[in-house]
Amino acid sequence: MSRGMNLLPFFFHHPQMFYLYSFSLFVGFEVGIHIHMCYSNFNDIIHSIINMDADVITIENSRSDEKLLSVFREGVNYGAGIGPGVYDIHSPKIPSTEEIAYRINKMLAILETDILWVNPDCGLKTGKYTDVKPALSNMVAAAKLLRTQLASAK
């Protein structure tokens, strides 16, 4: 993208050309499309989300206590990846590895292992580094623990 910065004055006056140029940089690369739904009424718009044809959708989930996943219990077939948040990034509480593993197991009761992505709710920019780093470390530890357990169960 740095090549485009030399053309910034031109792109300022021709924004459509900027978009075309930007997208052309990705031609020939395998690019995944991820979307995020934050505090949405996800269950009401699931069919529109499916029609978006994204590779992965991440959703706020921890504050809703997995209520947003009820649409999958009701038989909606969603073949792409889904990352329901495993902890609330806006909370000052740092979740333990065990708490996160418990949440992931609840999700695995609804979602297939091959479509589940493990991630926090929403972005990390509002969190303090001193809270975010241990929370992410615990999340990674929980994911590794469950991967090991699932592999040994096969």
Side-chain angles (χ1 to χ4, degrees):
M1 195 61 140
S2 62
R3 293 181 292 175
M5 292 303 138
N6 297 333
L7 299 170
L8 197 54
F10 172 77
F11 289 145
F12 180 77
H13 297 287
H14 305 284
Q16 284 301 109
M17 295 300 291
F18 173 74
Y19 299 130
L20 290 172
Y21 175 78
S22 298
F23 292 135
S24 74
L25 296 175
F26 295 102
V27 171
F29 290 94
E30 179 111 7
V31 177
I33 299 173
H34 291 232
I35 58 174
H36 176 72
M37 306 293 284
C38 198
Y39 306 110
S40 64
N41 206 346
F42 179 74
N43 293 345
D44 289 345
I45 59 172
I46 184 64
H47 295 291
S48 297
I49 292 169
I50 291 169
N51 290 336
M52 292 172 104
D53 197 28
D55 297 301
V56 179
I57 179 171
T58 58
I59 60 171
E60 177 279 325
N61 181 66
S62 64
R63 285 187 175 190
S64 68
D65 197 30
E66 281 84 33
K67 288 184 183 116
L68 294 178
L69 297 181
S70 66
V71 71
F72 300 104
R73 271 190 232 110
E74 296 163 6
V76 168
N77 186 17
Y78 185 73
I82 182 163
V86 295
Y87 79 91
D88 181 7
I89 187 62
H90 304 296
S91 171
K93 181 185 179 305
I94 298 169
S96 69
T97 299
E98 294 75 22
E99 288 173 291
I100 295 173
Y102 174 76
R103 283 187 162 280
I104 296 169
N105 272 319
K106 284 174 69 175
M107 294 170 194
L108 286 171
I110 301 166
L111 301 170
E112 298 294 324
T113 57
D114 61 335
I115 67 167
L116 179 63
W117 286 58
V118 176
N119 48 261
D121 276 352
C122 306
L124 303 174
K125 74 178 184 175
T126 60
K128 295 178 184 159
Y129 182 78
T130 55
D131 296 335
V132 170
K133 187 172 187 238
L136 288 176
S137 294
N138 291 348
M139 185 183 74
V140 170
K144 286 180 178 179
L145 172 72
L146 290 174
R147 283 186 190 122
T148 301
Q149 289 175 356
L150 290 168
S152 66
K154 287 184 179 180

